[in-house]
Amino acid sequence: MKLVIATNNRNKLREIKEIFSDMALPGEIEVLSLADFRDVPEIVEDGATLEENAVKKARVISEFTGLAAFADDTGLEVDKLNGEPGVYSARFAGEQCSYEDNNNKLLSLLEGVPEKDRGARFRCVIAVVVPGGKTYTVEGEMKGAIAISPKGANGFGYDPIFVPEGQGRRTFSEMSSEEKNNISHRSAAVRKSKEVLLEISGKSSYNK
Ligand code: IMP
């Protein structure tokens, strides 16, 4: 079975592939990415929830390729901001903003907020769509806190300012990709998707 990972984000693709290889998927599943196709339609992520966006991306790519598609939508939910930026995490600081712009905006909104009130979590929803078949979703989360200032050079997005729970005071950007993949929201969701992938590749029965 061919499975297309529906993302243009190279960092996400790398992490998903690393987690897949760690999960030892059966050889029947051949993993492709959007780089294997030409004229891929642009997808506007205008859903009101992470789930809607993940399902939309997977549906569009499954219809376009005629293959099973796998999409991730992720948001950072900050307690002090009532769950924002959430589904708007990508463009938090504006349409063409950089990761750094988003991090700076978040840090300035939390200026003066003490450590104990800087709680946040990453939530990752993965949708798997089979052509002419079912749509599955699974979810993973990682709790943590927003750092006072950016630290570390690895990862992407909000990683330099996110301190995951139970890892001392290190941000995701101060961890190796292996360390992040062991505990991250994406890793939790990707690992949960294994049952779905086995089912759709005919290896197991998924009773949902
Ligand atoms: P989307 O899922 O592509 O819509 O991503 C939403 C936003 O969250 C983007 O700004 C991403 O860079 C950021 N993001 C997604 N996953 C992660 C992650 O694992 N670490 C840090 N930031 C992330």
Side-chain angles (χ1 to χ4, degrees), residues 7 9 12 15 45 50 53 57 72-76 86-91 99 102 122 155-160 162 172 180 184-186:
T7 183
N9 182 323
K12 271 191 189 176
E15 286 189 6
E45 295 185 29
L50 298 175
N53 280 337
K57 287 188 262 191
D72 144 330
D73 204 55
T74 298
L76 176 63
V87 73
Y88 305 110
S89 295
R91 285 168 294 279
Y99 291 149
N102 283 336
F122 271 115
F156 68 102
Y158 295 95
D159 282 348
F162 185 81
F172 265 154
K180 180 183 173 190
S184 79
H185 45 292
R186 180 159 300 103

PDB file of all heavy atoms in Angstrom, residues 7 9 12 15 45 50 53 57 72-76 86-91 99 102 122 155-160 162 172 180 184-186, ligand 1:
ATOM      1  N   THR A   7       2.211  16.859   3.644  1.00  0.00           N
ATOM      2  CA  THR A   7       2.729  18.090   4.247  1.00  0.00           C
ATOM      3  C   THR A   7       3.819  18.681   3.369  1.00  0.00           C
ATOM      4  O   THR A   7       4.568  17.949   2.723  1.00  0.00           O
ATOM      5  CB  THR A   7       3.285  17.850   5.672  1.00  0.00           C
ATOM      6  OG1 THR A   7       3.703  19.109   6.211  1.00  0.00           O
ATOM      7  CG2 THR A   7       4.460  16.892   5.704  1.00  0.00           C
ATOM      8  N   ASN A   9       5.780  20.830   4.988  1.00  0.00           N
ATOM      9  CA  ASN A   9       6.703  21.221   6.046  1.00  0.00           C
ATOM     10  C   ASN A   9       7.788  20.149   6.184  1.00  0.00           C
ATOM     11  O   ASN A   9       7.536  19.035   6.614  1.00  0.00           O
ATOM     12  CB  ASN A   9       5.894  21.382   7.347  1.00  0.00           C
ATOM     13  CG  ASN A   9       6.750  21.835   8.510  1.00  0.00           C
ATOM     14  OD1 ASN A   9       7.905  21.436   8.647  1.00  0.00           O
ATOM     15  ND2 ASN A   9       6.172  22.667   9.359  1.00  0.00           N
ATOM     16  N   LYS A  12       8.317  18.619   9.680  1.00  0.00           N
ATOM     17  CA  LYS A  12       7.297  17.634  10.063  1.00  0.00           C
ATOM     18  C   LYS A  12       7.542  16.316   9.340  1.00  0.00           C
ATOM     19  O   LYS A  12       7.462  15.250   9.926  1.00  0.00           O
ATOM     20  CB  LYS A  12       5.908  18.130   9.625  1.00  0.00           C
ATOM     21  CG  LYS A  12       5.198  18.973  10.625  1.00  0.00           C
ATOM     22  CD  LYS A  12       3.760  19.121  10.136  1.00  0.00           C
ATOM     23  CE  LYS A  12       3.006  20.127  10.931  1.00  0.00           C
ATOM     24  NZ  LYS A  12       1.654  20.334  10.410  1.00  0.00           N
ATOM     25  N   GLU A  15      10.351  14.443  10.903  1.00  0.00           N
ATOM     26  CA  GLU A  15       9.981  13.825  12.187  1.00  0.00           C
ATOM     27  C   GLU A  15       9.070  12.612  11.966  1.00  0.00           C
ATOM     28  O   GLU A  15       9.250  11.568  12.579  1.00  0.00           O
ATOM     29  CB  GLU A  15       9.264  14.843  13.084  1.00  0.00           C
ATOM     30  CG  GLU A  15      10.201  15.872  13.679  1.00  0.00           C
ATOM     31  CD  GLU A  15       9.561  16.755  14.749  1.00  0.00           C
ATOM     32  OE1 GLU A  15       8.400  16.536  15.145  1.00  0.00           O
ATOM     33  OE2 GLU A  15      10.244  17.692  15.185  1.00  0.00           O
ATOM     34  N   GLU A  45      -5.790  26.153   4.891  1.00  0.00           N
ATOM     35  CA  GLU A  45      -6.122  25.573   6.205  1.00  0.00           C
ATOM     36  C   GLU A  45      -7.078  26.508   6.933  1.00  0.00           C
ATOM     37  O   GLU A  45      -6.694  27.281   7.789  1.00  0.00           O
ATOM     38  CB  GLU A  45      -4.839  25.348   6.998  1.00  0.00           C
ATOM     39  CG  GLU A  45      -3.960  24.307   6.339  1.00  0.00           C
ATOM     40  CD  GLU A  45      -2.730  23.955   7.156  1.00  0.00           C
ATOM     41  OE1 GLU A  45      -2.773  24.048   8.382  1.00  0.00           O
ATOM     42  OE2 GLU A  45      -1.730  23.591   6.527  1.00  0.00           O
ATOM     43  N   LEU A  50      -8.228  21.783  14.688  1.00  0.00           N
ATOM     44  CA  LEU A  50      -7.082  21.028  14.150  1.00  0.00           C
ATOM     45  C   LEU A  50      -7.593  19.827  13.377  1.00  0.00           C
ATOM     46  O   LEU A  50      -7.068  19.475  12.312  1.00  0.00           O
ATOM     47  CB  LEU A  50      -6.188  20.551  15.302  1.00  0.00           C
ATOM     48  CG  LEU A  50      -5.536  21.634  16.162  1.00  0.00           C
ATOM     49  CD1 LEU A  50      -4.790  20.985  17.336  1.00  0.00           C
ATOM     50  CD2 LEU A  50      -4.573  22.493  15.346  1.00  0.00           C
ATOM     51  N   ASN A  53      -8.808  20.702   9.876  1.00  0.00           N
ATOM     52  CA  ASN A  53      -7.687  20.971   8.960  1.00  0.00           C
ATOM     53  C   ASN A  53      -6.950  19.689   8.566  1.00  0.00           C
ATOM     54  O   ASN A  53      -6.594  19.508   7.402  1.00  0.00           O
ATOM     55  CB  ASN A  53      -6.690  21.938   9.603  1.00  0.00           C
ATOM     56  CG  ASN A  53      -7.155  23.378   9.511  1.00  0.00           C
ATOM     57  OD1 ASN A  53      -7.951  23.736   8.644  1.00  0.00           O
ATOM     58  ND2 ASN A  53      -6.680  24.207  10.420  1.00  0.00           N
ATOM     59  N   LYS A  57      -6.721  18.299   4.694  1.00  0.00           N
ATOM     60  CA  LYS A  57      -5.447  18.059   3.994  1.00  0.00           C
ATOM     61  C   LYS A  57      -5.372  16.608   3.502  1.00  0.00           C
ATOM     62  O   LYS A  57      -5.005  16.357   2.356  1.00  0.00           O
ATOM     63  CB  LYS A  57      -4.260  18.336   4.942  1.00  0.00           C
ATOM     64  CG  LYS A  57      -4.024  19.802   5.207  1.00  0.00           C
ATOM     65  CD  LYS A  57      -2.731  20.033   5.992  1.00  0.00           C
ATOM     66  CE  LYS A  57      -2.980  20.206   7.468  1.00  0.00           C
ATOM     67  NZ  LYS A  57      -1.819  20.670   8.244  1.00  0.00           N
ATOM     68  N   ASP A  72      -1.054  15.850   9.235  1.00  0.00           N
ATOM     69  CA  ASP A  72      -0.937  16.275  10.642  1.00  0.00           C
ATOM     70  C   ASP A  72      -1.312  17.743  10.734  1.00  0.00           C
ATOM     71  O   ASP A  72      -0.903  18.543   9.895  1.00  0.00           O
ATOM     72  CB  ASP A  72       0.520  15.998  11.052  1.00  0.00           C
ATOM     73  CG  ASP A  72       1.179  16.987  12.011  1.00  0.00           C
ATOM     74  OD1 ASP A  72       0.839  18.190  12.017  1.00  0.00           O
ATOM     75  OD2 ASP A  72       2.081  16.561  12.735  1.00  0.00           O
ATOM     76  N   ASP A  73      -2.110  18.111  11.729  1.00  0.00           N
ATOM     77  CA  ASP A  73      -2.302  19.533  12.032  1.00  0.00           C
ATOM     78  C   ASP A  73      -2.021  19.709  13.519  1.00  0.00           C
ATOM     79  O   ASP A  73      -2.501  18.940  14.347  1.00  0.00           O
ATOM     80  CB  ASP A  73      -3.706  20.017  11.681  1.00  0.00           C
ATOM     81  CG  ASP A  73      -3.692  21.527  11.447  1.00  0.00           C
ATOM     82  OD1 ASP A  73      -2.901  21.997  10.606  1.00  0.00           O
ATOM     83  OD2 ASP A  73      -4.451  22.262  12.118  1.00  0.00           O
ATOM     84  N   THR A  74      -1.205  20.716  13.800  1.00  0.00           N
ATOM     85  CA  THR A  74      -0.706  20.886  15.165  1.00  0.00           C
ATOM     86  C   THR A  74      -0.947  22.302  15.652  1.00  0.00           C
ATOM     87  O   THR A  74      -0.847  23.255  14.887  1.00  0.00           O
ATOM     88  CB  THR A  74       0.812  20.577  15.191  1.00  0.00           C
ATOM     89  OG1 THR A  74       0.988  19.216  14.806  1.00  0.00           O
ATOM     90  CG2 THR A  74       1.416  20.775  16.570  1.00  0.00           C
ATOM     91  N   GLY A  75      -1.257  22.439  16.925  1.00  0.00           N
ATOM     92  CA  GLY A  75      -1.422  23.770  17.502  1.00  0.00           C
ATOM     93  C   GLY A  75      -0.798  23.827  18.884  1.00  0.00           C
ATOM     94  O   GLY A  75      -0.702  22.818  19.581  1.00  0.00           O
ATOM     95  N   LEU A  76      -0.376  25.036  19.249  1.00  0.00           N
ATOM     96  CA  LEU A  76       0.163  25.283  20.588  1.00  0.00           C
ATOM     97  C   LEU A  76      -0.918  26.024  21.371  1.00  0.00           C
ATOM     98  O   LEU A  76      -1.361  27.095  20.939  1.00  0.00           O
ATOM     99  CB  LEU A  76       1.438  26.132  20.479  1.00  0.00           C
ATOM    100  CG  LEU A  76       2.061  26.551  21.809  1.00  0.00           C
ATOM    101  CD1 LEU A  76       2.527  25.337  22.611  1.00  0.00           C
ATOM    102  CD2 LEU A  76       3.249  27.489  21.570  1.00  0.00           C
ATOM    103  N   GLY A  86      -3.474  28.079  19.290  1.00  0.00           N
ATOM    104  CA  GLY A  86      -4.275  26.930  18.868  1.00  0.00           C
ATOM    105  C   GLY A  86      -4.250  26.677  17.375  1.00  0.00           C
ATOM    106  O   GLY A  86      -3.182  26.556  16.770  1.00  0.00           O
ATOM    107  N   VAL A  87      -5.446  26.632  16.776  1.00  0.00           N
ATOM    108  CA  VAL A  87      -5.532  26.303  15.342  1.00  0.00           C
ATOM    109  C   VAL A  87      -4.879  27.396  14.474  1.00  0.00           C
ATOM    110  O   VAL A  87      -4.561  27.159  13.310  1.00  0.00           O
ATOM    111  CB  VAL A  87      -7.011  26.030  14.964  1.00  0.00           C
ATOM    112  CG1 VAL A  87      -7.822  27.312  14.927  1.00  0.00           C
ATOM    113  CG2 VAL A  87      -7.131  25.255  13.654  1.00  0.00           C
ATOM    114  N   TYR A  88      -4.641  28.576  15.071  1.00  0.00           N
ATOM    115  CA  TYR A  88      -4.009  29.676  14.306  1.00  0.00           C
ATOM    116  C   TYR A  88      -2.497  29.763  14.554  1.00  0.00           C
ATOM    117  O   TYR A  88      -1.887  30.796  14.289  1.00  0.00           O
ATOM    118  CB  TYR A  88      -4.671  31.014  14.668  1.00  0.00           C
ATOM    119  CG  TYR A  88      -6.168  30.976  14.458  1.00  0.00           C
ATOM    120  CD1 TYR A  88      -7.048  30.987  15.536  1.00  0.00           C
ATOM    121  CD2 TYR A  88      -6.697  30.881  13.175  1.00  0.00           C
ATOM    122  CE1 TYR A  88      -8.419  30.901  15.341  1.00  0.00           C
ATOM    123  CE2 TYR A  88      -8.066  30.797  12.973  1.00  0.00           C
ATOM    124  CZ  TYR A  88      -8.919  30.805  14.062  1.00  0.00           C
ATOM    125  OH  TYR A  88     -10.267  30.706  13.866  1.00  0.00           O
ATOM    126  N   SER A  89      -1.890  28.694  15.051  1.00  0.00           N
ATOM    127  CA  SER A  89      -0.473  28.741  15.441  1.00  0.00           C
ATOM    128  C   SER A  89       0.460  29.125  14.294  1.00  0.00           C
ATOM    129  O   SER A  89       1.450  29.825  14.507  1.00  0.00           O
ATOM    130  CB  SER A  89      -0.030  27.389  16.011  1.00  0.00           C
ATOM    131  OG  SER A  89      -0.712  27.128  17.215  1.00  0.00           O
ATOM    132  N   ALA A  90       0.151  28.690  13.076  1.00  0.00           N
ATOM    133  CA  ALA A  90       1.084  28.929  11.964  1.00  0.00           C
ATOM    134  C   ALA A  90       1.199  30.416  11.628  1.00  0.00           C
ATOM    135  O   ALA A  90       2.284  30.910  11.347  1.00  0.00           O
ATOM    136  CB  ALA A  90       0.659  28.135  10.732  1.00  0.00           C
ATOM    137  N   ARG A  91       0.084  31.112  11.639  1.00  0.00           N
ATOM    138  CA  ARG A  91       0.097  32.527  11.237  1.00  0.00           C
ATOM    139  C   ARG A  91      -0.214  33.464  12.395  1.00  0.00           C
ATOM    140  O   ARG A  91      -0.823  34.508  12.220  1.00  0.00           O
ATOM    141  CB  ARG A  91      -0.897  32.741  10.092  1.00  0.00           C
ATOM    142  CG  ARG A  91      -0.399  32.208   8.773  1.00  0.00           C
ATOM    143  CD  ARG A  91      -1.479  32.168   7.730  1.00  0.00           C
ATOM    144  NE  ARG A  91      -2.510  31.219   8.090  1.00  0.00           N
ATOM    145  CZ  ARG A  91      -2.412  29.898   7.884  1.00  0.00           C
ATOM    146  NH1 ARG A  91      -1.339  29.394   7.327  1.00  0.00           N
ATOM    147  NH2 ARG A  91      -3.387  29.098   8.259  1.00  0.00           N
ATOM    148  N   TYR A  99       8.857  31.792  11.945  1.00  0.00           N
ATOM    149  CA  TYR A  99       8.766  31.135  13.255  1.00  0.00           C
ATOM    150  C   TYR A  99       9.184  32.110  14.354  1.00  0.00           C
ATOM    151  O   TYR A  99       8.604  32.156  15.432  1.00  0.00           O
ATOM    152  CB  TYR A  99       9.691  29.921  13.298  1.00  0.00           C
ATOM    153  CG  TYR A  99       9.282  28.756  12.426  1.00  0.00           C
ATOM    154  CD1 TYR A  99      10.239  27.916  11.865  1.00  0.00           C
ATOM    155  CD2 TYR A  99       7.936  28.463  12.191  1.00  0.00           C
ATOM    156  CE1 TYR A  99       9.881  26.820  11.096  1.00  0.00           C
ATOM    157  CE2 TYR A  99       7.570  27.360  11.412  1.00  0.00           C
ATOM    158  CZ  TYR A  99       8.556  26.551  10.873  1.00  0.00           C
ATOM    159  OH  TYR A  99       8.194  25.470  10.109  1.00  0.00           O
ATOM    160  N   ASN A 102       6.503  34.550  15.308  1.00  0.00           N
ATOM    161  CA  ASN A 102       5.496  33.922  16.182  1.00  0.00           C
ATOM    162  C   ASN A 102       6.004  33.806  17.618  1.00  0.00           C
ATOM    163  O   ASN A 102       5.284  34.110  18.572  1.00  0.00           O
ATOM    164  CB  ASN A 102       5.149  32.517  15.672  1.00  0.00           C
ATOM    165  CG  ASN A 102       4.226  32.542  14.466  1.00  0.00           C
ATOM    166  OD1 ASN A 102       3.496  33.509  14.260  1.00  0.00           O
ATOM    167  ND2 ASN A 102       4.251  31.488  13.673  1.00  0.00           N
ATOM    168  N   PHE A 122       1.153  21.288  23.381  1.00  0.00           N
ATOM    169  CA  PHE A 122       1.040  21.055  21.938  1.00  0.00           C
ATOM    170  C   PHE A 122       0.006  19.972  21.734  1.00  0.00           C
ATOM    171  O   PHE A 122       0.005  18.960  22.454  1.00  0.00           O
ATOM    172  CB  PHE A 122       2.361  20.507  21.371  1.00  0.00           C
ATOM    173  CG  PHE A 122       3.331  21.553  20.924  1.00  0.00           C
ATOM    174  CD1 PHE A 122       4.537  21.712  21.570  1.00  0.00           C
ATOM    175  CD2 PHE A 122       3.036  22.368  19.835  1.00  0.00           C
ATOM    176  CE1 PHE A 122       5.442  22.664  21.147  1.00  0.00           C
ATOM    177  CE2 PHE A 122       3.938  23.327  19.410  1.00  0.00           C
ATOM    178  CZ  PHE A 122       5.138  23.477  20.065  1.00  0.00           C
ATOM    179  N   GLY A 155      15.122  21.555  15.990  1.00  0.00           N
ATOM    180  CA  GLY A 155      13.667  21.601  15.844  1.00  0.00           C
ATOM    181  C   GLY A 155      13.190  22.737  14.963  1.00  0.00           C
ATOM    182  O   GLY A 155      13.928  23.258  14.116  1.00  0.00           O
ATOM    183  N   PHE A 156      11.955  23.166  15.182  1.00  0.00           N
ATOM    184  CA  PHE A 156      11.345  24.204  14.332  1.00  0.00           C
ATOM    185  C   PHE A 156      10.174  24.829  15.081  1.00  0.00           C
ATOM    186  O   PHE A 156       9.831  24.413  16.193  1.00  0.00           O
ATOM    187  CB  PHE A 156      10.879  23.589  13.002  1.00  0.00           C
ATOM    188  CG  PHE A 156       9.723  22.624  13.140  1.00  0.00           C
ATOM    189  CD1 PHE A 156       8.418  22.998  12.815  1.00  0.00           C
ATOM    190  CD2 PHE A 156       9.932  21.333  13.607  1.00  0.00           C
ATOM    191  CE1 PHE A 156       7.352  22.110  12.937  1.00  0.00           C
ATOM    192  CE2 PHE A 156       8.871  20.438  13.745  1.00  0.00           C
ATOM    193  CZ  PHE A 156       7.585  20.826  13.410  1.00  0.00           C
ATOM    194  N   GLY A 157       9.558  25.812  14.436  1.00  0.00           N
ATOM    195  CA  GLY A 157       8.342  26.420  14.984  1.00  0.00           C
ATOM    196  C   GLY A 157       8.554  26.971  16.391  1.00  0.00           C
ATOM    197  O   GLY A 157       9.484  27.746  16.646  1.00  0.00           O
ATOM    198  N   TYR A 158       7.699  26.548  17.295  1.00  0.00           N
ATOM    199  CA  TYR A 158       7.745  27.046  18.672  1.00  0.00           C
ATOM    200  C   TYR A 158       8.733  26.275  19.549  1.00  0.00           C
ATOM    201  O   TYR A 158       8.800  26.513  20.755  1.00  0.00           O
ATOM    202  CB  TYR A 158       6.337  26.970  19.287  1.00  0.00           C
ATOM    203  CG  TYR A 158       5.326  27.883  18.615  1.00  0.00           C
ATOM    204  CD1 TYR A 158       4.483  27.420  17.600  1.00  0.00           C
ATOM    205  CD2 TYR A 158       5.198  29.224  18.999  1.00  0.00           C
ATOM    206  CE1 TYR A 158       3.557  28.249  16.981  1.00  0.00           C
ATOM    207  CE2 TYR A 158       4.273  30.062  18.387  1.00  0.00           C
ATOM    208  CZ  TYR A 158       3.457  29.567  17.383  1.00  0.00           C
ATOM    209  OH  TYR A 158       2.545  30.404  16.778  1.00  0.00           O
ATOM    210  N   ASP A 159       9.486  25.348  18.970  1.00  0.00           N
ATOM    211  CA  ASP A 159      10.393  24.515  19.780  1.00  0.00           C
ATOM    212  C   ASP A 159      11.356  25.319  20.675  1.00  0.00           C
ATOM    213  O   ASP A 159      11.606  24.909  21.808  1.00  0.00           O
ATOM    214  CB  ASP A 159      11.211  23.564  18.886  1.00  0.00           C
ATOM    215  CG  ASP A 159      10.401  22.350  18.439  1.00  0.00           C
ATOM    216  OD1 ASP A 159       9.311  22.120  18.992  1.00  0.00           O
ATOM    217  OD2 ASP A 159      10.867  21.633  17.533  1.00  0.00           O
ATOM    218  N   PRO A 160      11.919  26.467  20.199  1.00  0.00           N
ATOM    219  CA  PRO A 160      12.879  27.172  21.065  1.00  0.00           C
ATOM    220  C   PRO A 160      12.256  27.757  22.330  1.00  0.00           C
ATOM    221  O   PRO A 160      12.977  28.107  23.267  1.00  0.00           O
ATOM    222  CB  PRO A 160      13.397  28.319  20.168  1.00  0.00           C
ATOM    223  CG  PRO A 160      13.035  27.939  18.779  1.00  0.00           C
ATOM    224  CD  PRO A 160      11.808  27.070  18.865  1.00  0.00           C
ATOM    225  N   PHE A 162       9.403  26.241  23.912  1.00  0.00           N
ATOM    226  CA  PHE A 162       8.532  25.270  24.586  1.00  0.00           C
ATOM    227  C   PHE A 162       9.362  24.337  25.453  1.00  0.00           C
ATOM    228  O   PHE A 162      10.255  23.638  24.957  1.00  0.00           O
ATOM    229  CB  PHE A 162       7.721  24.462  23.569  1.00  0.00           C
ATOM    230  CG  PHE A 162       6.721  23.536  24.218  1.00  0.00           C
ATOM    231  CD1 PHE A 162       5.490  24.020  24.655  1.00  0.00           C
ATOM    232  CD2 PHE A 162       7.012  22.194  24.415  1.00  0.00           C
ATOM    233  CE1 PHE A 162       4.562  23.179  25.278  1.00  0.00           C
ATOM    234  CE2 PHE A 162       6.095  21.342  25.031  1.00  0.00           C
ATOM    235  CZ  PHE A 162       4.868  21.839  25.462  1.00  0.00           C
ATOM    236  N   PHE A 172      12.386  22.138  23.663  1.00  0.00           N
ATOM    237  CA  PHE A 172      12.482  21.123  22.608  1.00  0.00           C
ATOM    238  C   PHE A 172      13.712  21.391  21.730  1.00  0.00           C
ATOM    239  O   PHE A 172      14.352  20.462  21.237  1.00  0.00           O
ATOM    240  CB  PHE A 172      11.226  21.156  21.723  1.00  0.00           C
ATOM    241  CG  PHE A 172      10.146  20.163  22.111  1.00  0.00           C
ATOM    242  CD1 PHE A 172       8.809  20.427  21.793  1.00  0.00           C
ATOM    243  CD2 PHE A 172      10.444  18.960  22.741  1.00  0.00           C
ATOM    244  CE1 PHE A 172       7.805  19.524  22.104  1.00  0.00           C
ATOM    245  CE2 PHE A 172       9.443  18.044  23.052  1.00  0.00           C
ATOM    246  CZ  PHE A 172       8.117  18.327  22.732  1.00  0.00           C
ATOM    247  N   LYS A 180      13.287  14.472  21.304  1.00  0.00           N
ATOM    248  CA  LYS A 180      11.970  15.077  21.072  1.00  0.00           C
ATOM    249  C   LYS A 180      10.986  14.001  20.605  1.00  0.00           C
ATOM    250  O   LYS A 180       9.863  13.922  21.096  1.00  0.00           O
ATOM    251  CB  LYS A 180      12.070  16.208  20.034  1.00  0.00           C
ATOM    252  CG  LYS A 180      10.721  16.866  19.764  1.00  0.00           C
ATOM    253  CD  LYS A 180      10.745  17.959  18.687  1.00  0.00           C
ATOM    254  CE  LYS A 180       9.337  18.424  18.374  1.00  0.00           C
ATOM    255  NZ  LYS A 180       9.227  19.306  17.209  1.00  0.00           N
ATOM    256  N   SER A 184       7.221  13.583  22.114  1.00  0.00           N
ATOM    257  CA  SER A 184       6.431  14.691  21.564  1.00  0.00           C
ATOM    258  C   SER A 184       4.976  14.327  21.256  1.00  0.00           C
ATOM    259  O   SER A 184       4.605  13.160  21.110  1.00  0.00           O
ATOM    260  CB  SER A 184       7.089  15.235  20.290  1.00  0.00           C
ATOM    261  OG  SER A 184       6.788  14.391  19.198  1.00  0.00           O
ATOM    262  N   HIS A 185       4.158  15.362  21.143  1.00  0.00           N
ATOM    263  CA  HIS A 185       2.765  15.300  20.688  1.00  0.00           C
ATOM    264  C   HIS A 185       2.659  14.559  19.353  1.00  0.00           C
ATOM    265  O   HIS A 185       1.807  13.716  19.148  1.00  0.00           O
ATOM    266  CB  HIS A 185       2.248  16.744  20.533  1.00  0.00           C
ATOM    267  CG  HIS A 185       3.227  17.645  19.821  1.00  0.00           C
ATOM    268  ND1 HIS A 185       4.423  18.011  20.391  1.00  0.00           N
ATOM    269  CD2 HIS A 185       3.237  18.174  18.576  1.00  0.00           C
ATOM    270  CE1 HIS A 185       5.103  18.742  19.534  1.00  0.00           C
ATOM    271  NE2 HIS A 185       4.413  18.858  18.420  1.00  0.00           N
ATOM    272  N   ARG A 186       3.600  14.867  18.439  1.00  0.00           N
ATOM    273  CA  ARG A 186       3.553  14.245  17.106  1.00  0.00           C
ATOM    274  C   ARG A 186       3.857  12.757  17.223  1.00  0.00           C
ATOM    275  O   ARG A 186       3.193  11.928  16.601  1.00  0.00           O
ATOM    276  CB  ARG A 186       4.563  14.940  16.171  1.00  0.00           C
ATOM    277  CG  ARG A 186       4.592  14.371  14.754  1.00  0.00           C
ATOM    278  CD  ARG A 186       5.185  15.343  13.759  1.00  0.00           C
ATOM    279  NE  ARG A 186       4.426  16.565  13.694  1.00  0.00           N
ATOM    280  CZ  ARG A 186       4.803  17.712  14.257  1.00  0.00           C
ATOM    281  NH1 ARG A 186       5.961  17.821  14.878  1.00  0.00           N
ATOM    282  NH2 ARG A 186       4.023  18.775  14.190  1.00  0.00           N
TER     283      ARG A 186
HETATM  284  P1  IMP B   1       0.541  23.354  11.141  1.00  0.00           P
HETATM  285  O1  IMP B   1       0.190  22.061  11.782  1.00  0.00           O
HETATM  286  O2  IMP B   1       1.428  23.153   9.956  1.00  0.00           O
HETATM  287  O3  IMP B   1      -0.649  24.212  10.881  1.00  0.00           O
HETATM  288  O4  IMP B   1       1.486  24.090  12.173  1.00  0.00           O
HETATM  289  C1  IMP B   1       1.055  25.054  13.081  1.00  0.00           C
HETATM  290  C2  IMP B   1       2.189  25.814  13.668  1.00  0.00           C
HETATM  291  O5  IMP B   1       2.718  25.117  14.771  1.00  0.00           O
HETATM  292  C3  IMP B   1       3.355  26.131  12.749  1.00  0.00           C
HETATM  293  O6  IMP B   1       3.834  27.424  13.043  1.00  0.00           O
HETATM  294  C4  IMP B   1       4.366  25.111  13.116  1.00  0.00           C
HETATM  295  O7  IMP B   1       5.658  25.514  12.899  1.00  0.00           O
HETATM  296  C5  IMP B   1       4.099  24.925  14.597  1.00  0.00           C
HETATM  297  N1  IMP B   1       4.427  23.565  14.963  1.00  0.00           N
HETATM  298  C6  IMP B   1       3.869  22.416  14.480  1.00  0.00           C
HETATM  299  N2  IMP B   1       4.471  21.352  15.044  1.00  0.00           N
HETATM  300  C7  IMP B   1       5.422  21.837  15.885  1.00  0.00           C
HETATM  301  C8  IMP B   1       6.386  21.215  16.715  1.00  0.00           C
HETATM  302  O8  IMP B   1       6.516  19.987  16.802  1.00  0.00           O
HETATM  303  N3  IMP B   1       7.176  22.052  17.412  1.00  0.00           N
HETATM  304  C9  IMP B   1       7.092  23.412  17.351  1.00  0.00           C
HETATM  305  N4  IMP B   1       6.220  24.030  16.564  1.00  0.00           N
HETATM  306  C10 IMP B   1       5.393  23.251  15.833  1.00  0.00           C
END
